[in-house]
Each structure stands twice: as structure tokens, then as C-alpha cells.
């Protein structure tokens, strides 16, 4: 269990900026052409602008300049998790909030990337490069351009997912930043393995996954419907790119959404996600899942692959240097569920009920 006396992140006296939503991620990629093939030719994200150094991509329903920046670099990494705030004045609040926390803070009136104006970038108390902005170029919203839709069209940026060693500490800080928890995974001893948090009224804008961090676990784009996700799988198969599929398709227990996890040419993990639920009421009930419930991460009981638990992307500080990671000291979700000592159940009060052939799926080394 987490030591409750371990240093929590202090709550600043300065008010938090009013965050609207996750808006875009800036990824460093090692071969821009190869990444373009994946994000544009396979996933059909829309190119807002591109040059020899970077590609700015958006989803079909987006009206701001981009949801994803691919920037050519020496080593794959994440340069920014970017959130849009409610007004330009919120940037002053972001500066003061993080200055009080003692974090590195930078502000650029003309933006850190093309298409975005006045912005604040910080290395937050968990080590992540967070950005806040309001000013942004508007571009054509292609929602009604059905002549441009493809069977697997990505329509919105849905959420980020971050890996951090101490989930309760991360949740405390994110609550100070104005986020609300919608779901989490715990065990009976009270260890928290992951938590989902939102600003916009969906299940999340970001999630904190327990593990060595800070690292980026995935960035997720939404489709309209489940069949759009199946179409992406079919297309990857047809292109002989099925090895881009890491996990799924399936339905999550957490979030109730339909999902698919892909790995891009640098190994950055992308989730395709659809049909979670509304969470905007102030008394929206928090859903807590037992870590041993084998339907929590896949509603159909399919086991999680080990790479999904262990692999994640490096994040950069504000000078572009990789941020060193800290190991998790709480129990690991992989170890307690699919490791040698792990167990999972389908029916809560019937823990011996998994048939023997099914139990093997949750033990490493039992796969053929
Ligand atoms: Fe996700």
C-alpha cells in the first residue's frame, strides 16, 4: 500500500486554470514519412499542415488546428500533453498555480507549435510536460463531409493515459487541478492501481495508470461506432499490418467503451475508443473495480497482454531531455492478476469458479 505519510503534492493557494478538455498531444517520431504512412494513410487523420519537420493532424469533427503533432526527432518521446482552457485569462492562473508548486513554467505568446497562440508549458509535479492554451486557429470542421469519411474514421480526440508510480498522489494533484475521478481499480487492501479523471463530461480526459513513470501509456481517438473499429482491424489485416494491433478489439469494463490498441512505427500506443457514457452531473457516481475482476479491463474476460502493462513512451522535459522514471512501489496490476501469484475471477463470490483451461490465460507462460 502507499504510505499515506509520503509527501503528497501540496494544494496551491492559487486557483487552478479552468480546463475544458484534452486537446492535442505532441509526439516526437524518428521517421516522419513512416509515421505519416501510419497516421494519414492507414488511420486517415486529416493533415492540417505539414513540412519537413512536423505534421499537424486532426480528427473529422475537430475545429481547432490539430489534435496530434508528429515532430521529427532522434528518439521517440512525448513533448506535450496539451489541454484547452476556457479563456485567455486562465493562462495567468496556470502560470501562478504551477509556479506555486515550484514547477518549471514557460509561457510563449506566439505558441510552442504552429496554429496555437499564447500558451503555458510546465513540467508538472509528476514530471509530465503539460501545456495549456486558449488561442488557436480554427479550421474546417469536416463532420458533415461524408464524401471524405472512411470506414474507420477517427472523429475526436478522446483522452490521454499516463503512467505514474503513485496513483493516489497523482489523483490528489489532478483533483487540485480541477479533475474529477469517474472510475478506478483497487484491491481490498485499498491499493489503487489506476484512476480515470475527467474535465469534459465523458469518462476521462486522462487516466493515471500505476507503473514506472512518468511515461505516456496511450493517446486515444474516438470513432462514431463499434463497426468503425472493426473496419480499422480489417484494413490493417488487408495491408498485412496486423502486427500493429497490440490488444483488442474488445469492450472495456472500465468506461464501458469499445476499444482497440495499436502501436505506431515508434511504438507509441494509440487507442481507438468509442461509446463511453455521460459523466457531467456533480454527483456522478464513481465506479470502483476490484483488481481481481477479470472483466474490469475486458468485459468479455480476455486477458491483457503483458506488453500493455509494461511498455510506455518516454516523456520530455521543457528542454527536450528525457525525464528519468521512478519505479512503482505499490503492487503491480500485472503481478497480482496475470503473474505467477495472480488470480482473477469472473463471479465475485465464486473465486474458484474459473475453469482450469481459463485460469491458464491469466498466468504468464501458459500461452502456446
Ligand atoms: Fe484509454
Amino acid at each position: 500500500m502507499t504510505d499515506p505519510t509520503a509527501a503528497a503534492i501540496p494544494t496551491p493557494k492559487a486557483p487552478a486554470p479552468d480546463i475544458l478538455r484534452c486537446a492535442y498531444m505532441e509526439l516526437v517520431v524518428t521517421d516522419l514519412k513512416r509515421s505519416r504512412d501510419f497516421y494519414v494513410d492507414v488511420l486517415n487523420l486529416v493533415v492540417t499542415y505539414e513540412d519537413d519537420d512536423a505534421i499537424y493532424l486532426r480528427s473529422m469533427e475537430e475545429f481547432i488546428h490539430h489534435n496530434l503533432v508528429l515532430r521529427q526527432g532522434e528518439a521517440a518521446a512525448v513533448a506535450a500533453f496539451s489541454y484547452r482552457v476556457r479563456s485567455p485569462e486562465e493562462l495567468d492562473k496556470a502560470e501562478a498555480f504551477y509556479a506555486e508548486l515550484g514547477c518549471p513554467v514557460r509561457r510563449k505568446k506566439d505558441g510552442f507549435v504552429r496554429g496555437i497562440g499564447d500558451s503555458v508549458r510546465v513540467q508538472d509535479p509528476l514530471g509530465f510536460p503539460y501545456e495549456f492554451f486558449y488561442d488557436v486557429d480554427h479550421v474546417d470542421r469536416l463532420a458533415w463531409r461524408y464524401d471524405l469519411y472512411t470506414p474507420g474514421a477517427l472523429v475526436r480526440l478522446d483522452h490521454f493515459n499516463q503512467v505514474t508510480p503513485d496513483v493516489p498522489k497523482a489523483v490528489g494533484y489532478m483533483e487540485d487541478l480541477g479533475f474529477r475521478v469517474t472510475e478506478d481499480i483497487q484491491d481490498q487492501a485499498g491499493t489503487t492501481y489506476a484512476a480515470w479523471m475527467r474535465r469534459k463530461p465523458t469518462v476521462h480526459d486522462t487516466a493515471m495508470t500505476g507503473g514506472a513513470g512518468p511515461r505516456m501509456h496511450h493517446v486515444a481517438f474516438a470513432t462514431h461506432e463499434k463497426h468503425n473499429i472493426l473496419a480499422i482491424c480489417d484494413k490493417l489485416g488487408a495491408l498485412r499490418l496486423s502486427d500493429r494491433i497490440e490488444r483488442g478489439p474488445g469492450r472495456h469494463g472500465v468506461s464501458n467503451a469499445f476499444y482497440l490498441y495499436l502501436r505506431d512505427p515508434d511504438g507509441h500506443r494509440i487507442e481507438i475508443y468509442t461509446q463511453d457514457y455521460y459523466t457531467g452531473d456533480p454527483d456522478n457516481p464513481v465506479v470502483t473495480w476490484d483488481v481481481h475482476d477479470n472483466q474490469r479491463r475486458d468485459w468479455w474476460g480476455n486477458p491483457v497482454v503483458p506488453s500493455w502493462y509494461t511498455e510506455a513512451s518516454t516523456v520530455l522535459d521543457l528542454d527536450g531531455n528525457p525525464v528519468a522514471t521512478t519505479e512503482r512501489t505499490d503492487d503491480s496490476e500485472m503481478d497480482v492478476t496475470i503473474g505467477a501469484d495472480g488470480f482473477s475471477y469472473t463471479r465475485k463470490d465464486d473465486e474458484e469458479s474459473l475453469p482450469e483451461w481459463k485460469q491458464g490465460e491469466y498466468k504468464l507462460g501458459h500461452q502456446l
Side-chain angles (χ1 to χ4, degrees):
M1 272 198 65
T2 303
D3 177 359
T5 62
I9 295 163
T11 300
K13 291 191 183 66
D18 186 351
I19 296 168
L20 292 172
R21 58 163 168 146
C22 60
Y24 80 91
M25 181 173 282
E26 182 180 353
L27 288 179
V28 180
V29 300
T30 58
D31 183 337
L32 197 55
K33 163 76 172 68
R34 206 162 165 234
S35 295
R36 191 187 195 287
D37 291 345
F38 179 71
Y39 288 100
V40 179
D41 297 342
V42 177
L43 294 182
N44 295 114
L45 283 169
V46 178
V47 178
T48 299
Y49 179 85
E50 61 186 320
D51 57 26
D52 291 341
D53 178 56
I55 307 176
Y56 295 77
L57 299 168
R58 71 183 192 273
S59 52
M60 294 297 285
E61 294 184 356
E62 189 55 82
F63 68 90
I64 66 170
H65 188 263
H66 56 259
N67 300 126
L68 187 67
V69 179
L70 306 175
R71 183 176 305 289
Q72 175 70 44
E74 289 296 308
V78 177
F81 299 73
S82 185
Y83 293 90
R84 192 154 193 236
V85 296
R86 189 170 297 279
S87 70
E89 294 71 41
E90 300 301 321
L91 295 185
D92 300 335
K93 291 190 195 168
E95 271 190 306
F97 182 87
Y98 285 100
E100 191 177 336
L101 285 169
C103 296
V105 178
R106 295 199 191 151
R107 185 160 181 172
K108 233 176 159 177
K109 293 288 180 189
D110 55 353
F112 293 88
V113 300
R114 179 179 284 269
I116 308 277
D118 192 10
S119 320
V120 170
R121 279 194 179 186
V122 304
Q123 186 181 8
D124 82 1
L126 307 176
F128 292 96
Y130 261 31
E131 180 184 86
F132 305 94
F133 72 92
Y134 175 77
D135 289 332
V136 61
D137 291 351
H138 285 206
V139 291
D140 285 345
R141 177 177 251 170
L142 300 173
W144 294 268
R145 288 296 305 276
Y146 288 104
D147 52 322
L148 301 179
Y149 272 76
T150 56
L154 305 182
V155 296
R156 288 184 292 279
L157 176 71
D158 193 87
H159 62 265
F160 307 137
N161 189 306
Q162 306 170 233
V163 187
T164 192
D166 184 336
V167 174
K169 178 177 171 180
V171 167
Y173 146 64
M174 292 298 283
E175 287 179 334
D176 290 342
L177 189 56
F179 285 73
R180 286 172 183 268
V181 173
T182 56
E183 302 201 22
D184 62 13
I185 294 175
Q186 298 187 23
D187 64 18
Q188 287 187 329
T191 301
T192 303
Y193 294 86
W196 284 256
M197 285 158 292
R198 65 105 183 162
R199 286 293 302 174
K200 65 178 159 56
T202 62
V203 170
H204 55 323
D205 288 281
T206 194
M208 294 291 171
T209 298
R215 292 180 298 162
M216 188 278 285
H217 193 274
H218 62 266
V219 54
F221 287 90
T223 61
H224 278 154
E225 300 183 32
K226 297 185 283 291
H227 67 75
N228 304 118
I229 290 180
L230 301 181
I232 293 170
C233 297
D234 284 338
K235 182 172 181 178
L236 288 164
L239 294 171
R240 286 277 156 187
L241 291 172
S242 60
D243 53 357
R244 292 260 167 261
I245 299 175
E246 182 185 36
R247 186 185 152 205
R251 182 183 296 284
H252 285 308
V254 173
S255 82
N256 201 25
F258 208 78
Y259 73 88
L260 172 70
Y261 292 98
L262 306 176
R263 302 292 290 272
D264 86 355
D266 284 293
H268 294 308
R269 185 179 290 105
I270 307 297
E271 183 181 16
I272 318 295
Y273 177 98
T274 191
Q275 297 172 349
D276 60 351
Y277 59 94
Y278 168 75
T279 60
D281 284 19
D283 55 350
N284 178 69
V286 175
V287 178
T288 293
W289 296 80
D290 180 354
V291 73
H292 296 297
D293 181 345
N294 73 350
Q295 296 191 186
R296 75 199 181 288
R297 291 218 179 255
D298 184 284
W299 190 240
W300 308 332
N302 284 318
V304 177
V305 294
S307 64
W308 191 92
Y309 281 125
T310 58
E311 296 178 12
S313 297
T314 298
V315 302
L316 301 179
D317 66 18
L318 300 185
D319 294 319
N321 300 311
V323 178
T325 59
T326 302
E327 291 297 319
R328 176 174 168 88
T329 53
D330 286 355
D331 285 344
S332 130
E333 183 172 342
M334 183 173 83
D335 290 345
V336 303
T337 56
I338 65 171
D341 301 324
F343 73 91
S344 292
Y345 61 80
T346 304
R347 289 169 293 277
K348 187 169 178 52
D349 299 320
D350 189 10
E351 294 186 4
E352 304 304 314
S353 71
L354 268 190
E356 202 170 326
W357 61 268
K358 188 75 177 171
Q359 288 172 22
E361 293 184 8
Y362 295 91
K363 304 284 187 189
L364 291 178
H366 282 255
Q367 290 88 350
L368 288 174

